[in-house]
Amino acid sequence: MKLERFYGILIPILSIILGIAVGAIVMIAGGYDAGEGFYQLYYGIFGEPYSIGETLRATAPLIFAGLAVAFAFRTGLFNIGVEGQVLVGWMVAVWIGISFDLPTAIHLPLALIGAGLAGALWAAVPGVLKAVFHVHEVITSIMMNYIALYLTNDILRRYIGITNERTETVKESASLASTFLSELTDFSRLHNGIFVAVLAAAVFWFILWKTTLGYELRAVGFNKSAAEYAGMSVKRNIVLSFVISGVFAGLAGAMEGLGTFQNMTLNASFTGVGFDGIAVALLGANNPIGVVLAALLFAGLNIGGLSMQQVGIPPELIKIIIAFIIIFVASGYAIRLVIDRFTTKKDMAKTSKGAGK
Amino acid sequence: MEYVIEMLNIRKEFGNFVANDNITLQLRKGEIHALLGENGAGKSTLMNVLFGLYQPEAGEIRVRGEKVEITSPTVANDLGIGMVHQHFMLVQNFTVTENIILGAEPKSGLQIDRAAAREKVRQISEQYGLAVDPDAKIEDISVGMQQRVEILKTLYRGADILIFDEPSAVLTPQEIQELIQIMNRLISEGKSIILITHKLKEIKTVAHRCTTIRRGKYIGTVDIDETMTENRLAEMMVGREVNFDAEYSKANPQESVLDVKNLVVKDSRGVEAVRGLDLNVRAGEIVGIAGIDGNGQTELIEAITGLRKPYSGEVYLNNKPITNLKPRKVTESGIGHIPQDRHKHGLVLDYSIGHNMVLQTYYKKPFSKGGIMNYNAVAEKAKKLIEKFDVRTPSVDTFARALSGGNQQKAIIAREVDRSPDLLVAAQPTRGLDVGAIEFIHQQLIEEREKGRAVLLISFELEEILHVSDRIAVLYEGKIVAYRDPKETNELELGFLMAGGKKEGADQV
């Protein structure tokens, strides 16, 4: 059990180091100064209060998206539809944010709850299809992404109102913006959402490891047959897992709608937040603390990558590094094999070959 | 005397745990050598050392007199060592031939030379009397046949030392007889066999010598001849006298607890597996269901316990209908269930043993209050059960996966019996367990009976049925075809009835 935990931490860390090493090789191969590139990356994350603020700002939605994927995964489900759930959550948050005049104490929570419910509803569709008709959730949740993309655009145009490709700004009473945080970080877009996100990670932990529902959800995730034998409703748990996952995803949308942008733009393509969530959950080993740390790393790389442009290094390099980190984490099994090989006491001693015949 | 394998003073540690402590095993050419030990005694570890999956900390291995280092299964294969695994490693939708050549395909150019492969498979099958159809798909052949494919696989790869890992655990009595014939044929063709088992009867029937290990330690190697009794073997294995013929007190059956009336249950393919079955079990008796695997046992259990909806008919518990209740309601109405497949249904292997102890009661007080789990209460409960039922586990936090089969089963029984169910359904409760654990589990069933509970025992082992039951119901093609008093019947008669034989009508007891 201890060994498992050791690997659980070692593999992500090794993967990050290896991913960055590959990044260095690519930079050198491309004729760029890798040392300068990494200095810029570092500076772009930690160099100024502004960049730290932006990194934290980008972290919040990634935490939510990562938690969404991880939660479903803990119940043995793949929620690939986080992206779509982010979009509907974002839209509903903005819609509530611009349509009502209420005191902050009511308006902001209402907008957040609305976003969560919208995400939950969107996620419930693949959940129900899986539970009742045994349709594979990966297919349906991917399809729901496309429906969300075009439906939100249509609703924005038709009902919410668009000028210059975007909606109105949300009312101050529904905004997550914080003058204090913004001024502290040299006028970055950092908002209060980061606190909500960290709180959500705690809620994630509490539901799975402290509640009776969590006991059921994890049991269903590990062994559906045994869960059924124990009298748990596997169908109900599948739907519930998707719904809770959808709440996290919807709130990721609220981070953008009520925090970063304060509005919603028409989307020609996906935001990518939902898909990054898969990577975050994977790197974070579906563990709430892991997800928070992984979200920080990915946000840092994305924000820091922008500075690399200043020395002529294309920001796509960051995508390469992230991609390789994911490849290394996913091939964690292979890494384990290598480690096991080196730690076996005596090994590789030559055998008398062909003694058989 | 010529030895083909010598494992001398092998020691294997896992952290602080010594799985093999100074174990020696010497296999003579052309013999069947049994490796006997309880679950968790270290048999599998020793064989994994031989097969190159583990490296020993001390000791040496000699193959045909030459000292070798077996660093991987590939090396073991090259040395002519083949393993017939307990859990088959076959691709279900491949043919027999395709499975056998997988990883060692004969090629002609870039293509697989199927004709040559097929011919070679056929030839080996004939040589050893395996009677395997090279073109059959794995999913279409019986478990016994699949095992033969595994044997063929090792032979195809040129093995002349075969390790059989508990080969009879998955077989019917008929198939076991056939396996014994195959093993004898193999040694007559010059092969040598190590047979991992804890079935004493098999050792008596087939083995020439037997090496026993207990809790990782070497106990001894003995010749299996007329003077060697099963009792002595059992003693060597568990380290104390084992009472095989414990005479249990007589049953005193009371009112009916379970009544099954004209039950029809369809299997997953929609075929009627239980066809108008009637059965009753009374308080204070153990009813054993004897039958060959696949005659509706699984479907009957699932229908009684609510895991499968019956097509028609009724099930009553204490005269109340439970026919279409969900599993939870069935459990709550007073049924305990020791499931046939403890890994699939009985346990959540990735949950701790503590978590597993409350699998059906987790939502009740004191384990859950207002939707919040009280894991302290869970641990407390688990500790009590572990102690009472002698479940050997390092702690309540140990994963169920890490426990030996016998201890996993004890944990399930502890959990089921502790709920004081009116009816205990025990499906193959001793499958794959050693004599010590079997004895314990039989005692638990008897104890339940003595407490005035009804016990329904389903087993493919006639010995077990005859030994424990107060009444035997013979199941054939989804119906109870006869009742017998265990005192007045024998394996022969039961075997005859189980195969659909008719004799003096189906009299009721």
Side-chain angles (χ1 to χ4, degrees), chain A residues 78-85 122-123 125-127 129 136-147 242 275:
Chain A
F78 287 105
N79 182 2
I80 311 294
V82 173
E83 180 70 31
Q85 294 144 26
W122 210 251
V125 176
L129 287 173
H136 204 289
E137 76 274 16
V138 168
I139 309 292
T140 46
S141 61
I142 288 178
M143 292 308 155
M144 290 299 284
N145 285 341
Y146 288 96
I147 300 174
F242 255 104
F275 299 121

Side-chain angles (χ1 to χ4, degrees), chain A residues 1 210 212 215-216 229 351, chain B residues 69 337 351 355 362 368 373:
Chain A
M1 219 190 226
K210 288 289 147 193
T212 312
Y215 177 92
E216 278 194 21
Y229 158 87
T351 351
Chain B
E69 300 258 352
H337 177 195
Y351 262 177
H355 275 44
Y362 67 91
S368 167
M373 291 296 284

Side-chain angles (χ1 to χ4, degrees), chain A residues 1 206 209-212 215-216 218-219 222-223 225-226 228-232 346 349 351-353 355-356, chain B residues 56 68-69 75 78 328 337 343-345 347-348 350-351 355 359-360 362 368 371-373 375 397 415-416:
Chain A
M1 219 190 226
F206 184 80
W209 283 280
K210 288 289 147 193
T211 68
T212 312
Y215 177 92
E216 278 194 21
R218 285 184 297 137
F222 285 134
N223 184 345
S225 303
E228 216 182 329
Y229 158 87
M232 301 170 189
K346 44 179 182 173
T351 351
S352 48
K353 267 253 168 96
Chain B
V68 292
E69 300 258 352
V75 176
D78 289 345
R328 170 148 303 162
H337 177 195
H343 287 176
K344 191 175 170 200
H345 287 110
L347 295 166
V348 177
D350 295 300
Y351 262 177
H355 275 44
L359 207 54
Q360 296 104 327
Y362 67 91
S368 167
I372 306 295
M373 291 296 284
Y375 283 114
D397 297 322
R415 182 183 73 204
E416 297 308 307

Side-chain angles (χ1 to χ4, degrees), chain A residues 149-163:
Chain A
L149 177 63
Y150 297 114
L151 192 70
T152 49
N153 279 347
D154 190 58
I155 293 175
L156 287 176
R157 277 205 196 91
R158 248 184 239 257
Y159 303 106
I160 298 178
I162 295 290
T163 36

Side-chain angles (χ1 to χ4, degrees), chain A residues 282-324:
Chain A
L282 190 66
L283 183 64
N286 301 307
N287 169 299
I289 296 173
V291 163
V292 170
L293 294 177
L296 265 171
L297 177 78
F298 283 178
L301 287 174
N302 277 324
I303 298 299
L306 299 175
S307 306
M308 291 169 82
Q309 273 179 291
Q310 290 168 5
V311 290
I313 300 172
E316 281 77 13
L317 185 84
I318 291 302
K319 300 274 178 226
I320 294 176
I321 293 178
I322 290 179
F324 269 96

